Amino acid sequence: MTGMVRVGFRCDAGVGSGVGHLVRCVALAEELRGRGVEAVFLGEVRGSEWAMAQLRGRGLPLVAAPETPVRLAALACELRLDAVVLDSYDLPPGTGAVLRGTGFPVLAIVDGDPPGQHADLYLDQNLGAEHRPFTGPGSRLAGARYALLRDSVRRHRRTPEPGPVPRVLCFFGGTDSAGVAPAWAAALLATGVPFRGTVVSPTPFAAGGPITVIPPTDRLPELMACADLVVTAAGSAVWELLYLGVPAALSWVADNQLVGYRELVGRGAAAGLGRAADARAVALLARLLADPATREEHGRRGGGLVDGRGRERVADALLALARP
């Protein structure tokens, strides 16, 4: 193969679907770009200026993707791609098979069992995935050693600063697609334990008390690194928290997040809040806010599970496919 290698990322982001798929693809695209590989995103960003800024700020082009597998393969031919990454649960089941049949190596990023897509290589970065059965037709990269982290996360380390009250960060992805941030802000206030809170929400609301509500921000890795406790969902941000070693209390807002939630809570690497901001969750948050040792034990158990080099390992495997 001669000339610059080009890899296409088929994923979407938006208010309804969240931005987790796009964020982890951006991390892999950063790694590929650093190796002289050209990356192009195929899909749509709906209603999230923050998500669009992740592409625009890195100079990553976004091309509208056709709906059918055959037309997507035709676009991949037109763009002269050398490999395609699929990271979406809304694609027609035959997308991977059509791309492969057209001659494109395919990497499918999944959470648990492959969602009906044929691929040459699967990536499941969930903690403990390497111990679960694999039923896909290709090979698999599994476990937290393959977690995809952005540059903005990898250049940070946790910087705790002891203070009179714990600093709490609460967010649920770049779009809070389930609209749960206000409920968890109320749960934190209901603990009655002193804290200083920052809640990230694309929709402004008045939380009151010690909570400041801010819109989605590129300062999120910095805010995570400075937090004494992060309240969030068991999505892509979890791997960033594990890398930073920040104590986390987790919920889940989508069924595909249950895999990571159960593994992390089962290992004691995070506190498990359940799905609803109910009385049980409020009681657990109260204990975490009042007991620094309990919080830090979660951070200690989680720290070191993600070494930050996952994207390098994934890029090695993908480029081995793209360069026969």
Side-chain angles (χ1 to χ4, degrees), residues 236-262:
S236 297
V238 165
W239 319 122
E240 301 175 353
L241 293 170
L242 293 176
Y243 174 73
L244 295 169
V246 180
L250 301 181
S251 179
W252 78 90
V253 297
D255 289 344
N256 67 297
Q257 294 177 348
L258 268 173
V259 174
Y261 176 89
R262 288 168 174 161

Side-chain angles (χ1 to χ4, degrees), residues 2 5 19 57 110 125 142 194 211 249 253 289 319:
T2 60
V5 175
V19 300
V110 301
Q125 64 179 358
I211 293 177
V253 297
L289 292 174
L319 294 178

Side-chain angles (χ1 to χ4, degrees), residues 182-195 207-208 210-211 277-279 281-283 285-286 289:
W184 285 106
L188 285 164
L189 292 172
T191 65
V193 180
F195 70 94
I211 293 177
D278 54 18
V282 170
L285 287 171
L289 292 174

Side-chain angles (χ1 to χ4, degrees), residues 80-157:
R80 298 186 178 183
L81 301 180
D82 297 298
V84 178
V85 177
L86 301 180
D87 193 355
S88 172
Y89 298 144
D90 297 325
L91 297 177
T95 301
V98 171
L99 286 166
R100 294 178 73 205
T102 312
F104 296 103
V106 173
L107 164 63
I109 303 179
V110 301
D111 298 286
D113 290 333
Q117 293 294 354
H118 282 222
D120 299 278
L121 181 66
Y122 295 87
L123 167 61
D124 185 347
Q125 64 179 358
N126 286 285
L127 189 65
E130 66 273 25
H131 304 305
R132 291 188 284 272
F134 173 63
T135 58
S139 58
R140 179 179 65 160
L141 307 175
R145 72 187 306 266
Y146 297 103
L148 303 173
L149 300 182
R150 295 168 293 156
D151 287 335
S152 58
V153 175
R154 300 208 307 171
R155 62 172 167 256
H156 277 90
R157 279 304 188 191

